[in-house]
Structure formats: structure tokens, C-alpha cells
């Protein structure tokens, strides 16, 4: 079935400013957020590493079925959240991250019994980057089982969904040069557009 692109009116509300790469690189992140940034980067690295574990094979197969190969997986820093309540939490605690920091970064939650748990479980992980290319949060697509099909990081000091656009870090220079942008509905749609050039 042929899909057509159509112009849609742009709603008013929060705006995402697209700046040239030089001004983006000159804008340092506030120091107060550095620990949060480090925790999210560590979580992203953990998820990416899980694709190379036996449990991650199904995710690589799922992505391959969507036409997404390893080169694209690496470029977009895709990952896998294991089907475990505390694999990420245990790994990041082992790297010295505190429980409070994991909660504040939005990668862990606290049960009613007070135990920390991984927010993302048995999901393909799509890191959401800022315009500098730093991961700010995650979207996770459920592979099997119960729960919402897609789950996002809760709002944090780093991750405000309304001010981040998936893939902008890879497209913003092209948007400036072309003078326009194409916005699509899904994560894999954005990836497919990039793969198609």
C-alpha cells in the first residue's frame, strides 16, 4: 500500500529549536546534571551490551525483521532490557551509582515494599538523545508478555518528552541545510528514513 506524505498544520506549544552544530557543541551541559547524565549514559551502555548476550539474540532478530541491521543498531545505540526485575539496577549499583541517582535518572522505580526495580524489562530500547547526541531517556518496546507496548522514561531533569525529538541529533544539520524537516510517527519509521538516505 502506497503511503503519501502530507503537510499538516504545526500545533502551537513547546518548540524545538534547531541550531547549527557549532553552537550546539559550544553549549556545555550544566554541571549539576552531570551525575544524572552519567547514570543515563551508563544505562544506555548496559542496554547496548545486552544485545551481545544470548538473551539479546531475539531482539537482534526482531530488529533484523524490521530491516534494521547491526550497523544501524550501533549508529542509533539501540539496546535490550533483559527480562529481569533488577539486572540494570544491580549493574549500575556495581558501578557506584546510588539508588537515589537511579531513581532521579528515571531508570529505576521503587516498589511499595521499598525495593528498587528496573523500569524497562524485556524491551527493545530506543535511547532518546538531545541535539548534542547525549542520551536523556529511553523508549522501550515490549517484545512479549504483559504491559504497555511502548514505555518511556518518566519525566526527569534530563528527560522532558515535549522538548526532545527522536533522531534530531542525527538530522539537525541536514534540517538546517535543507530548510525543512520530515517528522514521522514511530522510532523505526525514523530509522528507516535514515537508512533510505
Amino acid at each position: 500500500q502506497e503511503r503519501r506524505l502530507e503537510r499538516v498544520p504545526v500545533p502551537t506549544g513547546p518548540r524545538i529549536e534547531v541550531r547549527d552544530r557549532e553552537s550546539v557543541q559550544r553549549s556545555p551541559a550544566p554541571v549539576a546534571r552531570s551525575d544524572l547524565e552519567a547514570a543515563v549514559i551508563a544505562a544506555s551502555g548496559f542496554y547496548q551490551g545486552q544485545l551481545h548476550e544470548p538473551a539479546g539474540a531475539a531482539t537482534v532478530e526482531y530488529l533484523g525483521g524490521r530491516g534494521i541491521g547491526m550497523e544501524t543498531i550501533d549508529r542509533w545505540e539501540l539496546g535490550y532490557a533483559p527480562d529481569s526485575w533488577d539486572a540494570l539496577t544491580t549493574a549500575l549499583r556495581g558501578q557506584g551509582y546510588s539508588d537515589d541517582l537511579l531513581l532521579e535518572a528515571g531508570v529505576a522505580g521503587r516498589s511499595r515494599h521499598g525495593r528498587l526495580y528496573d523500569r524497562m524489562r524485556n524491551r527493545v530500547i530506543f535511547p532518546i538523545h538531545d541535539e548534542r547526541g547525549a542520551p536523556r531517556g529511553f523508549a522501550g518496546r515490549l517484545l512479549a508478555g504483559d504491559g504497555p507496548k511502548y514505555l518511556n522514561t518518566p519525566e526527569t531533569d534530563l528527560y522532558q518528552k515535549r522538548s526532545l525529538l527522536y533522531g534530531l541529533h542525527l538530522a539537525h544539520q541536514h534540517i538546517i541545510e535543507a530548510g525543512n524537516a520530515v517528522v514521522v510517527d514511530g522510532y523505526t519509521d525514523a530509522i528507516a528514513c535514515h537508512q533510505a538516505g
Side-chain angles (χ1 to χ4, degrees):
Q1 186 177 17
E2 189 176 313
R3 295 176 74 180
R4 295 181 340 132
L5 293 176
E6 55 186 71
R7 287 191 185 271
V8 293
V10 177
T12 58
R15 298 178 63 100
I16 297 175
E17 182 182 349
V18 179
R19 298 177 291 164
D20 65 80
R21 188 172 300 279
E22 186 177 309
S23 66
V24 169
Q25 290 174 340
R26 280 193 315 244
S27 305
V31 175
R33 294 169 21 149
S34 62
D35 289 342
L36 281 179
E37 290 176 350
V40 173
I41 289 168
S44 183
F46 171 84
Y47 292 138
Q48 290 172 60
Q50 292 302 301
L51 285 179
H52 304 288
E53 298 294 328
T59 302
V60 174
E61 186 178 329
Y62 164 80
L63 291 169
R66 302 293 301 262
I68 300 171
M70 285 308 296
E71 184 178 330
T72 300
I73 287 171
D74 291 342
R75 182 174 190 221
W76 290 80
E77 300 175 8
L78 305 182
Y80 169 64
D83 193 8
S84 164
W85 285 94
D86 63 357
L88 173 69
T89 303
T90 300
L92 294 189
R93 281 172 169 163
Q95 294 177 34
Y97 292 98
S98 70
D99 289 3
D100 287 343
L101 187 57
L102 298 181
L103 290 166
E104 202 173 332
V107 298
R110 190 180 296 282
S111 75
R112 63 178 181 227
H113 303 295
R115 293 185 60 194
L116 248 58
Y117 62 88
D118 296 353
R119 284 192 175 274
M120 302 283 180
R121 296 180 302 281
N122 196 30
R123 292 178 180 273
V124 180
I125 298 296
F126 298 90
I128 313 295
H129 299 83
D130 65 14
E131 60 185 0
R132 295 179 301 127
R136 292 294 185 218
F138 305 98
R141 187 200 188 283
L142 189 66
L143 288 170
D146 295 329
K149 182 176 179 181
Y150 281 95
L151 182 66
N152 285 5
T153 298
E155 296 276 313
T156 70
D157 285 347
L158 291 181
Y159 180 78
Q160 291 92 36
K161 187 175 179 181
R162 69 189 173 279
S163 64
L164 294 165
L165 187 62
Y166 185 69
L168 184 61
H169 67 297
L170 296 176
H172 78 274
Q173 195 60 42
H174 300 288
I175 292 170
I176 290 168
E177 292 165 6
N180 59 54
V182 175
V183 179
V184 295
D185 183 48
Y187 304 108
T188 56
D189 294 336
I191 292 170
C193 287
H194 279 255
Q195 286 194 144

